[in-house]
Structures are given as structure tokens and as C-alpha cells.
Amino acid sequence: GVFMMYFVPAGLSVHHSLREEVDSKGNSVPDSWHAGMPGEQHRFGEHQVVATSDHTVWLNNGSFLGNYLSLVLFAFLNDHTAHHLFPSVDHSKHSLYRDVMLNTFKEYGIPYSSNNFLTLFRGFHRFVQQRTVSELSKDISTIG
């Protein structure tokens, strides 16, 4: 039970997290893009970057301890953008190309940001508070 209480929110937070600020209409601002929002990207790579959220990527640094903690604490979901761009690459190898990936984002003007885990986790709880039970059930049923 404790395992699921931690990992379900940790897994969902990389896609369903709200920032602390609100837009001009008073609506919460998602951390990652969702269908129906402005800013839709039609190119695969750009879409993957705007539709995911990363956190605590410094932990997945290629070292044995860093990879172990990233796996045990976050199931490697902390480096989620890299996973979406390169789904068949082993998660423990993301650190090998992260700098090239981030420089490519800068070169092409693709917005990227990484959060700390607590900020993303709090954002997930803001997201949950604004949803009905049936909406949350639908969100959970689409995982995987």
C-alpha cells in the first residue's frame, strides 16, 4: 500500500502536474502540454519535450549510486523527456547524451525545464484537487 501511495503519484506527476502560477483567467497552468491546450507541437521531438516533465535529473548522472537511487526512488521517471524521445534506450544511459539533447533544445529554441521532485509532487496534488473522481479514474486507466 505505501509503495502504491508513493509511486502512483510519482508516475503520474511527470504528465499531470500544475504550476503554482495561474493564467490570466485564473486557471492553473499545467507543467506539461495536454490535448486542447494552446502551443500544440506537430513535430515528434518538440511534442515529446512539451508533453513531459522532468525532475531531479541530476540524480541520474551515470554513476552506480545515481542510477540506483533514480531507479529505486523514481523508477527512472525523473528523466522522462529522454525516455519519450528515445524509448528504447536503457534509462541508465540517458546521462550519456543528456548534454547533447539539452544543447539541441537550445539550438532549436525548444523550451525545456526541469523541476525538483517536491515541486512536481505538489503540482500533482494541485492537479488531483481540481479533478473529479471519474476524471481521475479515466487518467489512471490510460497509464501504460
Side-chain angles (χ1 to χ4, degrees):
V2 172
F3 179 81
M4 292 307 289
M5 287 175 55
Y6 172 77
F7 280 104
V8 168
L12 288 174
S13 67
V14 295
H15 289 290
H16 301 288
S17 182
L18 300 176
R19 297 182 187 155
E20 290 185 33
E21 70 265 13
V22 294
D23 64 15
S24 60
K25 297 178 183 177
N27 299 317
S28 296
V29 179
D31 244 352
S32 53
W33 182 86
H34 291 89
M37 289 176 53
E40 179 179 9
Q41 300 296 322
H42 297 284
R43 288 180 267 194
F44 173 81
E46 290 181 36
H47 175 78
Q48 299 308 313
V49 175
V50 299
T52 57
S53 298
D54 288 345
H55 65 85
T56 327
V57 291
W58 58 268
L59 190 60
N60 191 7
N61 60 11
S63 70
F64 175 80
L65 180 61
N67 282 334
Y68 176 78
L69 291 174
S70 188
L71 172 64
V72 170
L73 296 176
F74 307 119
F76 282 119
L77 291 175
N78 55 323
D79 212 351
H80 212 67
T81 302
H83 163 68
H84 273 250
L85 288 170
F86 307 102
S88 62
V89 174
D90 186 292
H91 292 267
S92 67
K93 306 302 181 201
H94 291 323
S95 63
L96 299 175
Y97 61 84
R98 184 177 302 110
D99 288 341
V100 172
M101 183 179 74
L102 296 177
N103 287 332
T104 302
F105 297 162
K106 286 180 190 172
E107 181 180 342
Y108 287 93
I110 300 169
Y112 168 83
S113 63
S114 178
N115 301 295
N116 66 53
F117 177 70
L118 291 177
T119 299
L120 205 62
F121 201 70
R122 282 193 306 264
F124 171 72
H125 286 283
R126 279 192 296 278
F127 170 80
V128 169
Q129 289 172 343
Q130 295 181 10
R131 308 286 280 183
T132 66
V133 172
S134 62
E135 289 172 327
L136 288 171
S137 296
K138 183 179 177 184
D139 291 334
I140 291 170
S141 70
T142 61
I143 297 173

PDB file of all heavy atoms in Angstrom, residues 16-36:
ATOM      1  N   HIS A  16       1.007  14.887 -15.224  1.00  0.00           N
ATOM      2  CA  HIS A  16      -0.131  15.604 -14.647  1.00  0.00           C
ATOM      3  C   HIS A  16       0.300  16.396 -13.420  1.00  0.00           C
ATOM      4  O   HIS A  16       0.150  15.945 -12.297  1.00  0.00           O
ATOM      5  CB  HIS A  16      -1.242  14.629 -14.254  1.00  0.00           C
ATOM      6  CG  HIS A  16      -1.740  13.820 -15.406  1.00  0.00           C
ATOM      7  ND1 HIS A  16      -2.513  14.353 -16.408  1.00  0.00           N
ATOM      8  CD2 HIS A  16      -1.550  12.525 -15.729  1.00  0.00           C
ATOM      9  CE1 HIS A  16      -2.791  13.416 -17.296  1.00  0.00           C
ATOM     10  NE2 HIS A  16      -2.215  12.310 -16.906  1.00  0.00           N
ATOM     11  N   SER A  17       0.854  17.569 -13.664  1.00  0.00           N
ATOM     12  CA  SER A  17       1.296  18.422 -12.580  1.00  0.00           C
ATOM     13  C   SER A  17       0.962  19.862 -12.938  1.00  0.00           C
ATOM     14  O   SER A  17       1.079  20.256 -14.093  1.00  0.00           O
ATOM     15  CB  SER A  17       2.799  18.268 -12.380  1.00  0.00           C
ATOM     16  OG  SER A  17       3.242  19.052 -11.308  1.00  0.00           O
ATOM     17  N   LEU A  18       0.527  20.646 -11.957  1.00  0.00           N
ATOM     18  CA  LEU A  18       0.171  22.040 -12.191  1.00  0.00           C
ATOM     19  C   LEU A  18       1.185  22.956 -11.536  1.00  0.00           C
ATOM     20  O   LEU A  18       1.629  22.706 -10.425  1.00  0.00           O
ATOM     21  CB  LEU A  18      -1.223  22.343 -11.629  1.00  0.00           C
ATOM     22  CG  LEU A  18      -2.371  21.534 -12.214  1.00  0.00           C
ATOM     23  CD1 LEU A  18      -3.667  21.870 -11.478  1.00  0.00           C
ATOM     24  CD2 LEU A  18      -2.516  21.794 -13.700  1.00  0.00           C
ATOM     25  N   ARG A  19       1.543  24.021 -12.238  1.00  0.00           N
ATOM     26  CA  ARG A  19       2.434  25.032 -11.675  1.00  0.00           C
ATOM     27  C   ARG A  19       1.693  25.827 -10.615  1.00  0.00           C
ATOM     28  O   ARG A  19       0.475  25.818 -10.555  1.00  0.00           O
ATOM     29  CB  ARG A  19       2.919  25.961 -12.779  1.00  0.00           C
ATOM     30  CG  ARG A  19       3.743  25.247 -13.819  1.00  0.00           C
ATOM     31  CD  ARG A  19       4.227  26.211 -14.856  1.00  0.00           C
ATOM     32  NE  ARG A  19       4.872  25.453 -15.932  1.00  0.00           N
ATOM     33  CZ  ARG A  19       4.985  25.879 -17.159  1.00  0.00           C
ATOM     34  NH1 ARG A  19       4.518  27.061 -17.500  1.00  0.00           N
ATOM     35  NH2 ARG A  19       5.573  25.134 -18.065  1.00  0.00           N
ATOM     36  N   GLU A  20       2.451  26.549  -9.809  1.00  0.00           N
ATOM     37  CA  GLU A  20       1.828  27.355  -8.760  1.00  0.00           C
ATOM     38  C   GLU A  20       1.122  28.574  -9.327  1.00  0.00           C
ATOM     39  O   GLU A  20       0.139  29.041  -8.779  1.00  0.00           O
ATOM     40  CB  GLU A  20       2.879  27.771  -7.731  1.00  0.00           C
ATOM     41  CG  GLU A  20       3.351  26.594  -6.896  1.00  0.00           C
ATOM     42  CD  GLU A  20       4.302  27.018  -5.795  1.00  0.00           C
ATOM     43  OE1 GLU A  20       4.143  28.139  -5.274  1.00  0.00           O
ATOM     44  OE2 GLU A  20       5.187  26.228  -5.466  1.00  0.00           O
ATOM     45  N   GLU A  21       1.630  29.117 -10.472  1.00  0.00           N
ATOM     46  CA  GLU A  21       1.004  30.311 -11.023  1.00  0.00           C
ATOM     47  C   GLU A  21      -0.274  29.955 -11.792  1.00  0.00           C
ATOM     48  O   GLU A  21      -0.507  28.802 -12.121  1.00  0.00           O
ATOM     49  CB  GLU A  21       1.967  31.078 -11.936  1.00  0.00           C
ATOM     50  CG  GLU A  21       2.280  30.381 -13.244  1.00  0.00           C
ATOM     51  CD  GLU A  21       3.561  29.557 -13.225  1.00  0.00           C
ATOM     52  OE1 GLU A  21       4.119  29.305 -12.156  1.00  0.00           O
ATOM     53  OE2 GLU A  21       3.975  29.140 -14.307  1.00  0.00           O
ATOM     54  N   VAL A  22      -1.089  30.964 -12.034  1.00  0.00           N
ATOM     55  CA  VAL A  22      -2.321  30.792 -12.802  1.00  0.00           C
ATOM     56  C   VAL A  22      -2.265  31.697 -14.029  1.00  0.00           C
ATOM     57  O   VAL A  22      -1.512  32.666 -14.064  1.00  0.00           O
ATOM     58  CB  VAL A  22      -3.585  31.111 -11.962  1.00  0.00           C
ATOM     59  CG1 VAL A  22      -3.757  30.109 -10.835  1.00  0.00           C
ATOM     60  CG2 VAL A  22      -3.525  32.518 -11.410  1.00  0.00           C
ATOM     61  N   ASP A  23      -3.077  31.377 -15.054  1.00  0.00           N
ATOM     62  CA  ASP A  23      -3.107  32.215 -16.245  1.00  0.00           C
ATOM     63  C   ASP A  23      -3.990  33.439 -16.027  1.00  0.00           C
ATOM     64  O   ASP A  23      -4.515  33.656 -14.931  1.00  0.00           O
ATOM     65  CB  ASP A  23      -3.546  31.400 -17.468  1.00  0.00           C
ATOM     66  CG  ASP A  23      -4.975  30.877 -17.367  1.00  0.00           C
ATOM     67  OD1 ASP A  23      -5.743  31.362 -16.510  1.00  0.00           O
ATOM     68  OD2 ASP A  23      -5.322  29.984 -18.160  1.00  0.00           O
ATOM     69  N   SER A  24      -4.179  34.241 -17.074  1.00  0.00           N
ATOM     70  CA  SER A  24      -4.938  35.492 -16.946  1.00  0.00           C
ATOM     71  C   SER A  24      -6.402  35.269 -16.582  1.00  0.00           C
ATOM     72  O   SER A  24      -7.070  36.162 -16.087  1.00  0.00           O
ATOM     73  CB  SER A  24      -4.846  36.285 -18.251  1.00  0.00           C
ATOM     74  OG  SER A  24      -5.384  35.529 -19.325  1.00  0.00           O
ATOM     75  N   LYS A  25      -6.918  34.046 -16.814  1.00  0.00           N
ATOM     76  CA  LYS A  25      -8.309  33.725 -16.477  1.00  0.00           C
ATOM     77  C   LYS A  25      -8.442  33.072 -15.103  1.00  0.00           C
ATOM     78  O   LYS A  25      -9.527  32.662 -14.705  1.00  0.00           O
ATOM     79  CB  LYS A  25      -8.902  32.803 -17.542  1.00  0.00           C
ATOM     80  CG  LYS A  25      -8.977  33.443 -18.912  1.00  0.00           C
ATOM     81  CD  LYS A  25      -9.523  32.473 -19.933  1.00  0.00           C
ATOM     82  CE  LYS A  25      -9.518  33.109 -21.314  1.00  0.00           C
ATOM     83  NZ  LYS A  25      -9.964  32.167 -22.338  1.00  0.00           N
ATOM     84  N   GLY A  26      -7.321  32.916 -14.401  1.00  0.00           N
ATOM     85  CA  GLY A  26      -7.358  32.312 -13.076  1.00  0.00           C
ATOM     86  C   GLY A  26      -7.263  30.802 -13.085  1.00  0.00           C
ATOM     87  O   GLY A  26      -7.435  30.158 -12.056  1.00  0.00           O
ATOM     88  N   ASN A  27      -6.976  30.205 -14.258  1.00  0.00           N
ATOM     89  CA  ASN A  27      -6.853  28.750 -14.359  1.00  0.00           C
ATOM     90  C   ASN A  27      -5.435  28.310 -14.026  1.00  0.00           C
ATOM     91  O   ASN A  27      -4.469  29.009 -14.343  1.00  0.00           O
ATOM     92  CB  ASN A  27      -7.201  28.281 -15.778  1.00  0.00           C
ATOM     93  CG  ASN A  27      -8.623  28.622 -16.158  1.00  0.00           C
ATOM     94  OD1 ASN A  27      -9.528  28.464 -15.360  1.00  0.00           O
ATOM     95  ND2 ASN A  27      -8.807  29.111 -17.369  1.00  0.00           N
ATOM     96  N   SER A  28      -5.302  27.148 -13.433  1.00  0.00           N
ATOM     97  CA  SER A  28      -3.985  26.594 -13.150  1.00  0.00           C
ATOM     98  C   SER A  28      -3.261  26.282 -14.454  1.00  0.00           C
ATOM     99  O   SER A  28      -3.879  25.937 -15.453  1.00  0.00           O
ATOM    100  CB  SER A  28      -4.119  25.317 -12.328  1.00  0.00           C
ATOM    101  OG  SER A  28      -4.674  25.614 -11.073  1.00  0.00           O
ATOM    102  N   VAL A  29      -1.946  26.403 -14.426  1.00  0.00           N
ATOM    103  CA  VAL A  29      -1.124  26.179 -15.613  1.00  0.00           C
ATOM    104  C   VAL A  29      -0.437  24.831 -15.485  1.00  0.00           C
ATOM    105  O   VAL A  29       0.334  24.616 -14.548  1.00  0.00           O
ATOM    106  CB  VAL A  29      -0.067  27.297 -15.761  1.00  0.00           C
ATOM    107  CG1 VAL A  29       0.804  27.062 -16.969  1.00  0.00           C
ATOM    108  CG2 VAL A  29      -0.740  28.658 -15.821  1.00  0.00           C
ATOM    109  N   PRO A  30      -0.694  23.890 -16.411  1.00  0.00           N
ATOM    110  CA  PRO A  30      -0.032  22.583 -16.353  1.00  0.00           C
ATOM    111  C   PRO A  30       1.471  22.696 -16.603  1.00  0.00           C
ATOM    112  O   PRO A  30       1.917  23.590 -17.313  1.00  0.00           O
ATOM    113  CB  PRO A  30      -0.692  21.784 -17.471  1.00  0.00           C
ATOM    114  CG  PRO A  30      -1.939  22.519 -17.808  1.00  0.00           C
ATOM    115  CD  PRO A  30      -1.685  23.954 -17.472  1.00  0.00           C
ATOM    116  N   ASP A  31       2.225  21.783 -16.026  1.00  0.00           N
ATOM    117  CA  ASP A  31       3.660  21.721 -16.261  1.00  0.00           C
ATOM    118  C   ASP A  31       3.963  21.182 -17.654  1.00  0.00           C
ATOM    119  O   ASP A  31       4.991  21.483 -18.227  1.00  0.00           O
ATOM    120  CB  ASP A  31       4.329  20.813 -15.224  1.00  0.00           C
ATOM    121  CG  ASP A  31       5.280  21.587 -14.343  1.00  0.00           C
ATOM    122  OD1 ASP A  31       5.539  22.763 -14.622  1.00  0.00           O
ATOM    123  OD2 ASP A  31       5.759  20.998 -13.367  1.00  0.00           O
ATOM    124  N   SER A  32       3.102  20.351 -18.165  1.00  0.00           N
ATOM    125  CA  SER A  32       3.318  19.779 -19.495  1.00  0.00           C
ATOM    126  C   SER A  32       2.055  19.940 -20.330  1.00  0.00           C
ATOM    127  O   SER A  32       0.950  20.033 -19.807  1.00  0.00           O
ATOM    128  CB  SER A  32       3.729  18.307 -19.394  1.00  0.00           C
ATOM    129  OG  SER A  32       2.817  17.582 -18.616  1.00  0.00           O
ATOM    130  N   TRP A  33       2.247  19.970 -21.628  1.00  0.00           N
ATOM    131  CA  TRP A  33       1.155  20.202 -22.567  1.00  0.00           C
ATOM    132  C   TRP A  33       0.162  19.036 -22.563  1.00  0.00           C
ATOM    133  O   TRP A  33       0.544  17.883 -22.426  1.00  0.00           O
ATOM    134  CB  TRP A  33       1.725  20.377 -23.972  1.00  0.00           C
ATOM    135  CG  TRP A  33       0.680  20.659 -24.998  1.00  0.00           C
ATOM    136  CD1 TRP A  33       0.172  21.878 -25.315  1.00  0.00           C
ATOM    137  CD2 TRP A  33       0.000  19.713 -25.810  1.00  0.00           C
ATOM    138  NE1 TRP A  33      -0.785  21.742 -26.289  1.00  0.00           N
ATOM    139  CE2 TRP A  33      -0.915  20.420 -26.608  1.00  0.00           C
ATOM    140  CE3 TRP A  33       0.059  18.323 -25.939  1.00  0.00           C
ATOM    141  CZ2 TRP A  33      -1.752  19.802 -27.514  1.00  0.00           C
ATOM    142  CZ3 TRP A  33      -0.769  17.708 -26.845  1.00  0.00           C
ATOM    143  CH2 TRP A  33      -1.660  18.446 -27.620  1.00  0.00           C
ATOM    144  N   HIS A  34      -1.130  19.352 -22.711  1.00  0.00           N
ATOM    145  CA  HIS A  34      -2.188  18.343 -22.838  1.00  0.00           C
ATOM    146  C   HIS A  34      -3.079  18.712 -24.017  1.00  0.00           C
ATOM    147  O   HIS A  34      -3.175  19.887 -24.385  1.00  0.00           O
ATOM    148  CB  HIS A  34      -3.036  18.269 -21.558  1.00  0.00           C
ATOM    149  CG  HIS A  34      -2.304  17.705 -20.399  1.00  0.00           C
ATOM    150  ND1 HIS A  34      -1.569  18.488 -19.541  1.00  0.00           N
ATOM    151  CD2 HIS A  34      -2.168  16.440 -19.980  1.00  0.00           C
ATOM    152  CE1 HIS A  34      -1.019  17.716 -18.632  1.00  0.00           C
ATOM    153  NE2 HIS A  34      -1.361  16.473 -18.862  1.00  0.00           N
ATOM    154  N   ALA A  35      -3.762  17.741 -24.584  1.00  0.00           N
ATOM    155  CA  ALA A  35      -4.636  17.970 -25.734  1.00  0.00           C
ATOM    156  C   ALA A  35      -5.623  19.097 -25.451  1.00  0.00           C
ATOM    157  O   ALA A  35      -6.194  19.169 -24.375  1.00  0.00           O
ATOM    158  CB  ALA A  35      -5.390  16.687 -26.086  1.00  0.00           C
ATOM    159  N   GLY A  36      -5.797  19.965 -26.430  1.00  0.00           N
ATOM    160  CA  GLY A  36      -6.728  21.074 -26.300  1.00  0.00           C
ATOM    161  C   GLY A  36      -6.093  22.363 -25.810  1.00  0.00           C
ATOM    162  O   GLY A  36      -6.706  23.423 -25.872  1.00  0.00           O
TER     163      GLY A  36
END
